[in-house]
Amino acid sequence: MIAIARFEQALSQAVDFRAELESVKAVLSEAAGFISATVGQNLDEPTLWVLTTEWENVGSYRRALSSTRAKLEAIPVLARAIDEPGAYE
């Protein structure tokens, strides 16, 4: 299962935002069922960002998001994602 979260962030905040996404990636990587994650900045529109995560299954992904640490550290950042479907099989 792949989860994609896209973001739009001012270019002036790129360094700080990358650090925030890397922190989210670190939190999620500790969850059972986590396979991999990638943070990327769009080459053509540098205000666009993506966090792509891969999971063993959708249950693993949902359980990871419901952990206390994710609620405190990851969800506040993920809540700023562009509102669009992001879960893929």
Side-chain angles (χ1 to χ4, degrees):
M1 183 259 147
I2 300 168
I4 299 171
R6 294 185 330 118
F7 303 85
E8 188 160 11
Q9 187 67 40
L11 197 53
S12 63
Q13 308 216 343
V15 172
D16 292 338
F17 191 65
R18 179 177 291 277
E20 287 183 76
L21 289 180
E22 291 292 346
S23 178
V24 169
K25 178 179 159 182
V27 168
L28 296 178
S29 72
E30 295 176 1
F34 175 87
I35 297 173
S36 67
T38 304
V39 170
Q41 183 178 17
N42 189 288
L43 297 174
D44 298 316
E45 295 288 335
T47 60
L48 294 176
W49 292 81
V50 67
L51 172 64
T52 304
T53 55
E54 186 176 359
W55 301 87
E56 288 179 10
N57 53 54
V58 70
S60 297
Y61 172 64
R62 290 182 176 154
R63 283 188 294 280
L65 292 178
S66 67
S67 75
T68 300
R69 186 164 178 218
K71 288 178 183 176
L72 294 173
E73 299 177 36
I75 299 298
V77 177
L78 294 173
R80 298 182 349 228
I82 295 169
D83 187 17
E84 63 186 9
Y88 297 86
E89 200 168 2

